[in-house]
Amino acid sequence: MKLYTFFRSSASFRVRIALNHKGLKWEHAGVSLPKGEHLESSYKSVNPQGLVPALEDGKHLLTQSLAIMEYLDEVHPGPKLLPPDPVDRAYVRAFSQIIACEIHPLNNLRARKYISKTYKLDEEGVSSWYRHWIAEGFQMLEGFLAQEKKHGKHVYRDQVTMADCCLVPQVFNALLYKCDVKPYPTVMRIHEACMQQDAFIRAQPSKQPDSL
């Protein structure tokens, strides 16, 4: 398998965690977003969306991080990223989608560049935008965990799932932008538990070849 990835891409980070957790071997293919390599024809011939991650698995090309993780869980051996019960799977998917659909799109590189250029925001203005949506999104996560009462060491009981793969990169970004994470003790406790595990440690941005 070959993963087209950028070391600071949180969506790529999610898939790296999933691949590592399932014990799968994969080849790193760096795509620099700041250099615009994702928009070049050479990469768009691989993934016409011009986004990372993209995963080549034999003759198949998979895109979009949540879809990739569910694919990996369905066709490859190793620890499961989704629980067996349909209600519990819906819980894990809902938590994952709060991050992937509600938080991340507002704060990704494309959005930050657009608001900076269009509304003439300086670096602090963009950071303020970022911190606002992190606060709103993390309130959702903390409240969801409190209401559902399905969390333990991880988002779902003591099992690493797709939800943890989504949570850790989002916390990394929040800390990078100096967001106040003290109001979200459950989220941070789960993040800290995840970061004790090899699959998460090896997937973090500083461990990637293109981070140098």
Side-chain angles (χ1 to χ4, degrees):
M1 284 186 287
K2 179 188 289 188
L3 181 67
Y4 295 88
T5 175
F6 176 59
F7 75 104
R8 282 201 304 266
S9 159
S10 58
S12 298
F13 192 172
R14 297 168 195 158
V15 175
R16 294 196 301 262
I17 295 168
L19 287 163
N20 292 344
H21 182 65
K22 291 185 75 69
L24 298 170
K25 295 184 182 298
W26 54 281
E27 176 187 349
H28 177 280
V31 180
S32 175
L33 302 187
K35 293 179 181 178
E37 291 177 357
H38 58 301
L39 301 176
E40 294 176 0
S41 59
S42 57
Y43 181 63
K44 283 203 168 184
S45 68
V46 176
N47 180 9
Q49 297 170 37
L51 301 172
V52 292
L55 180 72
E56 285 184 359
D57 188 8
K59 64 181 180 179
H60 303 296
L61 190 282
L62 291 306
T63 63
Q64 294 293 332
S65 62
L66 299 191
I68 293 171
M69 288 189 284
E70 293 217 28
Y71 166 82
L72 292 172
D73 216 34
E74 291 171 359
V75 304
H76 288 286
K80 287 297 184 181
L81 294 167
L82 286 165
D85 181 77
V87 174
D88 292 337
R89 286 202 300 274
Y91 161 81
V92 167
R93 287 178 174 128
F95 187 94
S96 301
Q97 289 174 21
I98 292 173
I99 294 170
C101 303
E102 303 294 340
I103 302 173
H104 180 238
L106 289 162
N107 285 336
N108 67 20
L109 182 62
R110 287 180 298 156
R112 297 198 310 271
K113 282 186 172 181
Y114 178 81
I115 63 168
S116 175
K117 181 179 180 181
T118 303
Y119 301 106
K120 298 179 173 57
L121 296 178
D122 59 14
E123 184 177 349
E124 179 52 35
V126 174
S127 295
S128 178
W129 163 278
Y130 196 103
R131 289 190 287 266
H132 170 81
W133 295 114
I134 286 290
E136 186 165 304
F138 276 38
Q139 287 172 15
M140 293 181 193
L141 296 176
E142 193 77 12
F144 185 77
L145 292 169
Q147 180 178 19
E148 296 294 325
K149 296 181 175 61
K150 291 179 181 283
H151 61 283
K153 182 180 178 182
H154 295 289
V155 174
Y156 174 70
R157 312 301 187 204
D158 293 335
Q159 176 185 344
V160 172
T161 65
M162 184 169 71
D164 302 286
C165 297
C166 291
L167 176 64
V168 165
Q170 195 61 67
V171 171
F172 261 68
N173 286 348
L175 295 174
L176 180 66
Y177 276 82
K178 298 180 172 57
C179 299
D180 181 9
V181 294
K182 292 191 294 295
Y184 322 111
T186 308
V187 165
M188 295 309 297
R189 180 183 56 73
I190 293 170
H191 172 262
E192 289 163 11
C194 289
M195 289 310 300
Q196 301 302 311
Q197 300 189 41
D198 183 65
F200 292 84
I201 293 169
R202 288 191 290 116
Q204 65 183 298
S206 64
K207 302 290 187 182
Q208 306 313 304
D210 54 335
S211 71
L212 302 176

PDB file of all heavy atoms in Angstrom, residues 1 11 19 29 61-62 72 82 154 157 162 164:
ATOM      1  N   MET A   1       0.833  -1.195   0.000  1.00  0.00           N
ATOM      2  CA  MET A   1       0.000   0.000   0.000  1.00  0.00           C
ATOM      3  C   MET A   1       0.873   1.252   0.000  1.00  0.00           C
ATOM      4  O   MET A   1       1.932   1.281   0.620  1.00  0.00           O
ATOM      5  CB  MET A   1      -0.908   0.014   1.229  1.00  0.00           C
ATOM      6  CG  MET A   1      -2.080  -0.934   1.115  1.00  0.00           C
ATOM      7  SD  MET A   1      -3.239  -0.790   2.485  1.00  0.00           S
ATOM      8  CE  MET A   1      -2.287  -1.579   3.778  1.00  0.00           C
ATOM      9  N   ALA A  11      -6.066  15.004   8.290  1.00  0.00           N
ATOM     10  CA  ALA A  11      -6.767  13.883   7.657  1.00  0.00           C
ATOM     11  C   ALA A  11      -5.788  12.754   7.347  1.00  0.00           C
ATOM     12  O   ALA A  11      -6.103  11.569   7.514  1.00  0.00           O
ATOM     13  CB  ALA A  11      -7.473  14.351   6.390  1.00  0.00           C
ATOM     14  N   LEU A  19      -3.597   2.797   9.911  1.00  0.00           N
ATOM     15  CA  LEU A  19      -2.702   1.824   9.287  1.00  0.00           C
ATOM     16  C   LEU A  19      -1.767   1.209  10.320  1.00  0.00           C
ATOM     17  O   LEU A  19      -1.565  -0.011  10.355  1.00  0.00           O
ATOM     18  CB  LEU A  19      -1.882   2.499   8.184  1.00  0.00           C
ATOM     19  CG  LEU A  19      -2.630   2.850   6.889  1.00  0.00           C
ATOM     20  CD1 LEU A  19      -1.829   3.857   6.073  1.00  0.00           C
ATOM     21  CD2 LEU A  19      -2.899   1.596   6.062  1.00  0.00           C
ATOM     22  N   ALA A  29       4.328   8.459   0.643  1.00  0.00           N
ATOM     23  CA  ALA A  29       4.475   9.291  -0.550  1.00  0.00           C
ATOM     24  C   ALA A  29       4.084  10.717  -0.162  1.00  0.00           C
ATOM     25  O   ALA A  29       2.900  11.038  -0.047  1.00  0.00           O
ATOM     26  CB  ALA A  29       3.595   8.775  -1.689  1.00  0.00           C
ATOM     27  N   LEU A  61      -7.685   2.813  -5.623  1.00  0.00           N
ATOM     28  CA  LEU A  61      -7.305   4.121  -5.103  1.00  0.00           C
ATOM     29  C   LEU A  61      -8.445   4.603  -4.204  1.00  0.00           C
ATOM     30  O   LEU A  61      -9.590   4.752  -4.674  1.00  0.00           O
ATOM     31  CB  LEU A  61      -7.054   5.106  -6.240  1.00  0.00           C
ATOM     32  CG  LEU A  61      -6.428   6.477  -5.945  1.00  0.00           C
ATOM     33  CD1 LEU A  61      -7.417   7.468  -5.354  1.00  0.00           C
ATOM     34  CD2 LEU A  61      -5.197   6.353  -5.034  1.00  0.00           C
ATOM     35  N   LEU A  62      -8.150   4.800  -2.933  1.00  0.00           N
ATOM     36  CA  LEU A  62      -9.154   5.224  -1.958  1.00  0.00           C
ATOM     37  C   LEU A  62      -8.891   6.665  -1.546  1.00  0.00           C
ATOM     38  O   LEU A  62      -7.734   7.069  -1.376  1.00  0.00           O
ATOM     39  CB  LEU A  62      -9.117   4.334  -0.706  1.00  0.00           C
ATOM     40  CG  LEU A  62      -9.570   2.874  -0.797  1.00  0.00           C
ATOM     41  CD1 LEU A  62     -10.952   2.750  -1.369  1.00  0.00           C
ATOM     42  CD2 LEU A  62      -8.568   2.015  -1.514  1.00  0.00           C
ATOM     43  N   LEU A  72     -10.263  -0.011   5.259  1.00  0.00           N
ATOM     44  CA  LEU A  72      -9.207  -0.795   5.907  1.00  0.00           C
ATOM     45  C   LEU A  72      -9.797  -1.780   6.906  1.00  0.00           C
ATOM     46  O   LEU A  72      -9.346  -2.927   7.007  1.00  0.00           O
ATOM     47  CB  LEU A  72      -8.217   0.135   6.615  1.00  0.00           C
ATOM     48  CG  LEU A  72      -7.346   1.016   5.723  1.00  0.00           C
ATOM     49  CD1 LEU A  72      -6.560   2.012   6.571  1.00  0.00           C
ATOM     50  CD2 LEU A  72      -6.404   0.176   4.868  1.00  0.00           C
ATOM     51  N   LEU A  82     -13.990  -0.246  14.263  1.00  0.00           N
ATOM     52  CA  LEU A  82     -15.400  -0.012  14.548  1.00  0.00           C
ATOM     53  C   LEU A  82     -15.931  -1.160  15.400  1.00  0.00           C
ATOM     54  O   LEU A  82     -15.552  -2.315  15.185  1.00  0.00           O
ATOM     55  CB  LEU A  82     -16.210   0.091  13.256  1.00  0.00           C
ATOM     56  CG  LEU A  82     -16.036   1.375  12.448  1.00  0.00           C
ATOM     57  CD1 LEU A  82     -16.597   1.200  11.048  1.00  0.00           C
ATOM     58  CD2 LEU A  82     -16.705   2.551  13.145  1.00  0.00           C
ATOM     59  N   HIS A 154     -10.687   5.095  25.948  1.00  0.00           N
ATOM     60  CA  HIS A 154     -10.794   5.685  24.614  1.00  0.00           C
ATOM     61  C   HIS A 154     -12.204   6.207  24.392  1.00  0.00           C
ATOM     62  O   HIS A 154     -13.052   6.143  25.288  1.00  0.00           O
ATOM     63  CB  HIS A 154     -10.392   4.657  23.560  1.00  0.00           C
ATOM     64  CG  HIS A 154      -8.947   4.264  23.650  1.00  0.00           C
ATOM     65  ND1 HIS A 154      -7.930   5.111  23.296  1.00  0.00           N
ATOM     66  CD2 HIS A 154      -8.348   3.118  24.079  1.00  0.00           C
ATOM     67  CE1 HIS A 154      -6.771   4.521  23.495  1.00  0.00           C
ATOM     68  NE2 HIS A 154      -6.987   3.307  23.966  1.00  0.00           N
ATOM     69  N   ARG A 157     -15.311   2.886  24.996  1.00  0.00           N
ATOM     70  CA  ARG A 157     -14.811   1.958  26.018  1.00  0.00           C
ATOM     71  C   ARG A 157     -13.279   2.026  26.076  1.00  0.00           C
ATOM     72  O   ARG A 157     -12.712   3.115  26.115  1.00  0.00           O
ATOM     73  CB  ARG A 157     -15.301   0.517  25.760  1.00  0.00           C
ATOM     74  CG  ARG A 157     -16.780   0.370  25.477  1.00  0.00           C
ATOM     75  CD  ARG A 157     -17.646   0.878  26.581  1.00  0.00           C
ATOM     76  NE  ARG A 157     -19.058   0.546  26.312  1.00  0.00           N
ATOM     77  CZ  ARG A 157     -20.067   1.221  26.831  1.00  0.00           C
ATOM     78  NH1 ARG A 157     -19.840   2.266  27.620  1.00  0.00           N
ATOM     79  NH2 ARG A 157     -21.319   0.864  26.568  1.00  0.00           N
ATOM     80  N   MET A 162     -11.941   4.325  15.107  1.00  0.00           N
ATOM     81  CA  MET A 162     -11.828   5.422  14.159  1.00  0.00           C
ATOM     82  C   MET A 162     -11.978   6.769  14.860  1.00  0.00           C
ATOM     83  O   MET A 162     -11.366   7.766  14.453  1.00  0.00           O
ATOM     84  CB  MET A 162     -12.910   5.246  13.082  1.00  0.00           C
ATOM     85  CG  MET A 162     -12.886   6.249  11.966  1.00  0.00           C
ATOM     86  SD  MET A 162     -13.982   5.767  10.606  1.00  0.00           S
ATOM     87  CE  MET A 162     -15.596   6.046  11.367  1.00  0.00           C
ATOM     88  N   ASP A 164     -10.897   7.694  17.833  1.00  0.00           N
ATOM     89  CA  ASP A 164      -9.618   8.103  18.406  1.00  0.00           C
ATOM     90  C   ASP A 164      -8.665   8.564  17.312  1.00  0.00           C
ATOM     91  O   ASP A 164      -7.882   9.502  17.512  1.00  0.00           O
ATOM     92  CB  ASP A 164      -8.999   6.944  19.182  1.00  0.00           C
ATOM     93  CG  ASP A 164      -9.896   6.439  20.294  1.00  0.00           C
ATOM     94  OD1 ASP A 164     -10.008   7.123  21.318  1.00  0.00           O
ATOM     95  OD2 ASP A 164     -10.499   5.358  20.121  1.00  0.00           O
TER      96      ASP A 164
END
